Amino acid sequence: MTRAGAEFESEGGERRRRPGRDLCGIGGLPVDAVCDLLGRARALEDAPHRPEVLRGRTVVCFFGEPSTRTRTSFELAARRLGADVIFFGNDGTTSAAKGESALDAARNLDAMGIDVFVARDRQTGWPQVLCHHLGARVVNAGDGVGEHPTQALADALTILEAFGRSPADGARALAGLRVAICGDIIHGRVAHSNLHLLPRLGAEVVVAGPEGLVDGAELPEGVTLAPSFDDAVVGAHVVMMLRIQRERLARGRDLPDDAAYHARWGLDARRVGLADPHAIVMHPGPMNRGVEIADAVADGPRSRILRQVTHGVAVRMAVLARACDRQGALPEAKR
Ligand code: CP
């Protein structure tokens, strides 16, 4: 394999990777590793500035798609751990404008000695491609219609907090809780990670969505497809709404207009009333207000949407420390 940055190759030409662990998909994390990350994230929320943990390390946010929450929270997380942070985006200022491929750009940055690539891209499977080619560790920040594992971890932390549960309870941490995930399941990478994570923590997970945007045959074992949105929400402890990923829909795909979609698939006060009396409402963002969620619900007392964002920073700190093999330098997991 021809690579710039021969410092990542042993004398025999075999590629060496930096110490640490990649995070491409949530399935790569055993339950005990998930719970350790969540417990350490909880502890970090009490004392979020730990500049000794990643001092001397460099994190690049390598983003080929727009982002508000994920990019900012990864940058904050890396800085709070003392890392140097570089943003590299397809924004017209890079040599992508001269025809350089994203993979060549990544290899060139890698040759400069990056420790962690935090990667977002429209290409499903992009993090795995980077793992194959780079010496740096790779953390998936959302790949096409694949996964968004750190969002799922932030969501799990939000649910644990809301219901007074402990990550120390592992596979039973969310036992007895019914989670309804509603909207565009097929294109929803947040949904894909949550569908693989929440049942492993003991939650009952049910999905609902418009025809063509959810496929009952593709659901992981133990996840059920509700016959209607109302059926999914009845008795739910968590109602997680997803936007339609219009940028990923096949061209010419017919969808109802926003008002019609809201009437059929939008979370409004009536539907919240079908859920458990202590139910919480979640949405990974960005929200399309008045489409999949009503203003009064997004901003109402059940909403934990901004808590998801807050937890995203601590979770990403724990994930970056793990990526650099520095998890042991974080505070002990908090119950
Ligand atoms: N939740 C999420 O991935 O949001 P951004 O696209 O703004 O990062």
Side-chain angles (χ1 to χ4, degrees):
M1 174 178 173
T2 306
R3 284 170 42 84
E7 66 273 25
F8 297 127
E9 295 178 4
S10 70
E11 281 179 19
E14 194 181 322
R15 192 163 58 93
R16 272 187 284 121
R17 302 205 64 210
R18 288 179 180 275
R21 291 167 189 260
D22 306 301
L23 179 57
C24 293
I26 206 74
L29 281 178
V31 169
D32 58 349
V34 166
C35 293
D36 185 64
L37 280 172
L38 295 176
R40 290 186 194 265
R42 264 197 169 168
L44 282 165
E45 286 181 335
D46 294 337
H49 294 278
R50 301 268 171 179
E52 72 285 0
V53 175
L54 294 186
R55 185 171 291 134
R57 310 295 177 102
T58 306
V59 174
V60 61
C61 287
F62 196 82
F63 274 46
E65 271 193 341
S67 167
T68 295
R69 284 149 288 271
T70 311
R71 171 188 167 180
T72 310
S73 57
F74 265 114
E75 290 190 8
L76 267 178
R79 289 202 176 96
R80 286 179 184 175
L81 293 176
D84 294 320
V85 187
I86 295 167
F87 175 73
F88 186 93
N90 190 2
D91 56 4
T93 66
T94 74
S95 288
K98 299 176 231 168
E100 186 172 47
S101 74
L103 184 55
D104 276 335
R107 283 170 157 172
N108 278 267
L109 296 186
D110 194 39
M112 297 176 199
I114 301 296
D115 291 282
V116 184
F117 272 68
V118 175
R120 168 170 288 199
D121 202 84
R122 68 186 67 252
Q123 181 184 328
T124 306
W126 177 237
Q128 290 84 348
V129 173
L130 292 178
C131 286
H132 182 73
H133 288 280
L134 305 184
R137 290 296 165 179
V138 178
V139 174
N140 185 357
D143 64 315
V145 296
E147 285 212 41
H148 197 344
T150 59
Q151 180 66 51
L153 291 168
D155 295 348
L157 198 53
T158 305
I159 300 170
L160 290 167
E161 176 188 65
F163 292 95
R165 300 297 182 93
S166 169
D169 291 329
R172 296 211 36 86
L174 301 181
L177 298 180
R178 174 178 163 94
V179 180
I181 303 180
C182 307
D184 182 355
I185 307 292
I186 278 191
H187 302 105
R189 56 199 179 197
V190 174
H192 299 160
S193 289
N194 271 315
L195 292 179
H196 284 99
L197 176 62
L198 301 180
R200 287 200 288 143
L201 297 177
E204 174 198 353
V205 179
V206 56
V207 300
E211 196 179 327
L213 296 184
V214 57
D215 180 354
E218 292 290 317
L219 297 174
E221 201 181 321
V223 177
T224 55
L225 174 61
S228 73
F229 186 15
D230 284 7
D231 282 303
V233 173
V234 169
H237 300 91
V238 177
V239 183
M240 186 183 297
M241 299 306 298
L242 304 171
R243 75 182 174 92
I244 303 174
Q245 309 256 319
R246 290 187 189 275
E247 69 275 28
R248 301 188 211 284
L249 292 182
R251 242 183 287 170
R253 156 92 216 214
D254 210 13
L255 270 179
D257 65 29
D258 288 354
Y261 186 92
H262 188 65
R264 179 104 194 267
W265 296 104
L267 188 63
D268 55 14
R270 181 191 72 78
R271 287 193 167 114
V272 173
L274 300 175
D276 181 87
H278 303 291
I280 62 167
V281 171
M282 298 173 65
H283 192 309
M287 287 186 283
N288 290 139
R289 289 168 175 265
V291 184
E292 73 272 10
I293 191 164
D295 282 338
V297 175
D299 303 325
R302 307 288 188 84
S303 175
R304 295 292 181 279
I305 292 168
L306 292 178
R307 288 304 288 166
Q308 292 172 261
V309 178
T310 301
H311 291 314
V313 179
V315 154
R316 287 165 181 133
M317 289 174 77
V319 165
L320 288 174
R322 175 180 179 272
C324 291
D325 228 2
R326 291 283 292 155
Q327 214 163 331
L330 296 176
E332 285 297 315
K334 182 177 168 187
R335 283 187 64 84

